[in-house]
């Protein structure tokens, strides 16, 4: 089993109101979570990216964290206070250029002695793009076209240095990039930084099968995980790859207690914290696309139809068809007699694994044994101590059963993941 830690940030998981919640920017928060992950022998520490403050109804969305440090800068600093833990940065292939980013990633790989990873994301969001591109827009159909060539170009740059330390000129000419010159950073201790891809769409799955070492995904049930696992692994052969060449690691949340019943009680309370009355109204507004401030969160769902493409929310990806999601919410609310807030809690915030440490360890192991995942990226609900309980109480059980390592066997991220060093293609 492979394990990674996601630093809490802009999502519906983080509980800001908990008195144990701390700064999202102070370096000590990053250090605490990273060192906890390394103490648990995790494969890597994972940072998301935020390129613009999201807006809601024309104002900064005040339930988000406001202020997101640049990922690679933070990880370079963490390289100095960790020894074995992989360091993964989310960096957008839409708003960067291959030479600059390949150089920054190669630098992190050297400073960390071969522990760097790049989570490749794309965007067609014109609102975010206003910070970067003329008009702020890249057609959705072009996102993965650019990303695929971006990754290939970065690998050409990393291969422009021989394993023996000799620099050679590079030249790339393609539809997205035409560059030539000499790369400034020698080949890294693990050959190339590890490449992660996040996405569940057919395009994303194909991109991961062709170019990624890890796919960061999400699926809520064992059955859905098995279907996704089988689909993605089956795509690898078309690119001359073996099933173990790509690790499938869904993002998950975990709540533990001394007993299964206590864990269920804790999980329910966490869900109530995640969906405050204000959050419930905002979640509904994102779906309905209109101002719902006059509605009672403890009352019934709005009877009005969703307003499509209203522009009320900017900088947030809406998953699913609003009309279909509203219909599902109404069906759940009617069947269970739920208020608006209760419906949001019921449909949007259920934790992935809930139970005693032994129950959670067994369920995680079953997902891997039954080929629904190769491992997990844990997304805690608290900053920075949300991983402590899992590392202290669940990891020892996984180690005891042989499902997870007791010690690191190598020094690079590729060694943790069981990935071969890339063959030099200079």
């Amino acid at each position: 089993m492979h394990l990674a830690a996601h630093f809490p940030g802009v999502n519906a998981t983080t509980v800001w109101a908990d008195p144990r919640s701390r700064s999202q920017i102070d370096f000590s928060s990053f250090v605490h979570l990273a060192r906890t992950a390394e103490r648990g022998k995790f494969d890597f520490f994972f940072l998301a990216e935020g390129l613009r403050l999201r807006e809601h109804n024309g104002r900064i969305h005040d339930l988000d964290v406001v202020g997101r440090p640049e990922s690679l800068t933070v990880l370079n600093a963490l390289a100095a206070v960790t020894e074995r833990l992989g360091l993964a940065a989310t960096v957008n292939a839409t708003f960067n250029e291959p030479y600059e980013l390949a150089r920054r990633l190669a630098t992190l790989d050297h400073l960390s002695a071969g522990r760097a990873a790049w989570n490749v994301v794309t965007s067609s969001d014109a609102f975010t793009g206003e910070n970067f591109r003329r008009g702020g827009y890249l057609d959705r159909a072009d996102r993965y076209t650019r990303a695929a060539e971006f990754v290939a170009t970065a690998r050409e740059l990393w291969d422009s240095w021989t394993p023996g330390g000799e620099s050679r000129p590079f030249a790339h000419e393609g539809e997205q990039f035409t560059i030539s010159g000499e790369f400034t950073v020698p080949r890294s201790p693990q050959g190339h930084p590890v490449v992660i891809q996040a996405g569940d769409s057919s395009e994303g799955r194909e991109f991961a099968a062709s170019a990624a070492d890890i796919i960061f995904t999400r699926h809520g049930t064992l059955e859905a995980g098995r279907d996704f696992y089988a689909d993605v692994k089956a795509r690898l052969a078309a690119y001359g790859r073996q099933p173990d060449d790509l690790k499938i690691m869904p993002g998950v949340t975990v709540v533990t207690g001394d007993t299964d019943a206590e864990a269920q009680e804790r999980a329910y309370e966490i869900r109530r914290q995640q969906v405050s009355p204000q959050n419930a109204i905002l979640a509904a507004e994102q779906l309905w696309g209109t101002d719902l401030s006059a509605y009672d969160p403890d009352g019934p769902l709005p009877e009005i139809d969703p307003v499509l493409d209203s522009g009320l929310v900017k900088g947030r990806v809406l998953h699913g068809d609003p009309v279909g999601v509203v219909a599902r919410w109404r069906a759940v609310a009617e069947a269970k007699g739920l208020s608006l807030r209760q419906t949001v809690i019921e449909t949007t915030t259920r934790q992935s694994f809930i139970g005693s440490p032994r129950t959670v360890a067994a369920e995680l192991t079953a997902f891997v044994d039954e080929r629904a995942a190769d491992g997990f990226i844990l997304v805690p609900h608290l900053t920075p101590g949300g991983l402590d309980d899992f590392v202290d109480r669940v990891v020892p059980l996984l180690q005891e059963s042989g499902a997870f390592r007791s010690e690191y066997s190598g020094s690079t991220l590729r060694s943790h993941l069981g990935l071969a060093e890339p063959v030099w293609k200079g």
Side-chain angles (χ1 to χ4, degrees):
M1 181 186 304
H2 298 285
L3 294 175
H6 185 286
F7 187 81
V10 178
N11 52 49
T13 302
T14 306
V15 176
W16 309 113
D18 192 296
R20 295 169 295 174
S21 180
R22 296 290 183 265
S23 172
Q24 294 284 318
I25 294 179
D26 194 291
F27 186 56
S28 63
S29 292
F30 295 102
V31 171
H32 181 105
L33 193 70
R35 284 180 167 168
T36 302
E38 187 163 70
R39 177 164 57 84
K41 313 303 179 187
F42 279 37
D43 292 65
F44 60 92
F45 174 87
F46 182 71
L47 284 179
E49 183 67 286
L51 296 177
R52 181 165 180 173
L53 299 180
R54 299 189 292 193
E55 294 182 10
H56 187 100
N57 203 14
R59 298 183 302 173
I60 297 298
H61 183 48
D62 62 359
L63 296 180
D64 272 351
V65 55
V66 285
R68 301 292 299 279
E70 195 276 321
S71 296
L72 282 166
T73 304
V74 174
L75 295 179
N76 276 306
L78 288 177
V81 296
T82 56
E83 295 180 355
R84 298 291 186 90
L85 185 70
L87 303 168
T90 301
V91 188
N92 200 303
T94 306
F95 304 128
N96 285 279
E97 295 298 321
Y99 184 90
E100 179 190 20
L101 182 54
R103 187 166 179 255
R104 290 159 60 201
L105 287 162
T107 299
L108 173 61
D109 219 18
H110 273 281
L111 292 179
S112 65
R115 296 186 280 137
W118 171 26
N119 179 39
V120 184
V121 294
T122 65
S123 177
S124 60
D125 174 21
F127 173 73
T128 300
E130 289 173 356
N131 284 343
F132 299 93
R133 305 176 64 84
R134 292 188 298 275
Y137 182 71
L138 181 67
D139 190 273
R140 185 176 182 84
D142 293 333
R143 292 185 308 152
Y144 283 114
T145 301
R146 178 182 171 91
E149 187 174 334
F150 197 124
V151 173
T153 306
R155 285 174 166 153
E156 289 176 28
L157 294 169
W158 295 327
D159 274 342
S160 67
W161 281 75
T162 70
E166 179 185 353
S167 172
R168 297 185 177 183
F170 68 84
H172 175 90
E173 184 172 350
E175 293 182 5
Q176 300 291 323
F177 312 105
T178 299
I179 58 175
S180 61
E182 291 197 10
F183 195 56
T184 61
V185 186
R187 191 173 178 84
S188 82
Q190 62 174 349
H192 297 168
V194 168
V195 171
I196 306 170
Q197 192 273 332
D200 287 346
S201 68
S202 180
E203 289 175 310
R205 297 180 190 200
E206 202 66 29
F207 177 47
S210 67
D213 300 304
I214 300 169
I215 183 166
F216 176 35
T217 182
R218 57 180 184 174
H219 36 70
T221 66
L222 179 64
E223 292 73 21
R226 292 177 67 179
D227 289 345
F228 181 90
Y229 190 97
D231 176 74
V232 173
K233 295 284 187 173
R235 297 174 187 246
L236 292 166
Y239 301 98
R241 306 181 70 194
Q242 300 299 314
D244 285 344
D245 291 343
L246 175 66
K247 308 300 180 183
I248 296 176
M249 298 182 67
V252 300
T253 55
V254 173
V255 179
T256 60
D258 289 341
T259 65
D260 290 351
E262 180 183 308
Q264 290 289 347
E265 291 177 5
R266 288 188 63 195
Y268 179 72
E269 182 55 35
I270 291 169
R271 290 200 294 271
R272 285 181 55 81
Q273 290 179 303
Q274 290 167 333
V275 185
S276 66
Q278 184 185 10
N279 261 331
I281 292 295
L282 288 170
E285 288 180 341
Q286 291 161 16
L287 197 57
W288 264 267
T290 191
D291 187 342
L292 300 176
S293 58
Y295 284 78
D296 180 0
D298 294 317
L301 271 64
E303 296 180 355
I304 59 176
D305 293 329
V307 179
L308 303 180
D309 302 320
S310 68
L312 183 80
V313 179
K314 294 184 176 180
R316 183 187 296 273
V317 177
L318 181 63
H319 297 283
D321 167 40
V323 174
V325 176
V326 165
R328 180 167 62 86
W329 280 24
R330 285 176 173 155
V332 170
E334 182 178 355
K336 298 187 176 183
L338 304 179
S339 68
L340 171 58
R341 183 185 180 197
Q342 289 170 330
T343 302
V344 177
I345 291 172
E346 179 71 18
T347 58
T348 65
T349 59
R350 190 168 302 280
Q351 280 76 25
S352 309
F353 296 94
I354 305 170
S356 69
R358 194 163 296 279
T359 295
V360 169
E363 290 181 353
L364 292 171
T365 302
F367 259 70
V368 174
D369 288 346
E370 297 189 34
R371 296 181 178 173
D374 293 310
F376 307 93
I377 298 177
L378 274 73
V379 186
H381 70 280
L382 284 179
T383 306
L387 197 65
D388 295 7
D389 193 56
F390 183 89
V391 167
D392 291 337
R393 306 185 69 189
V394 179
V395 167
L397 296 175
L398 295 171
Q399 293 170 329
E400 179 183 290
S401 69
F404 187 62
R405 69 171 67 88
S406 295
E407 293 293 340
Y408 291 110
S409 58
S411 59
T412 69
L413 179 52
R414 287 187 179 277
S415 67
H416 303 341
L417 293 165
L419 297 172
E421 181 177 323
V423 176
W424 180 63
K425 297 178 180 179

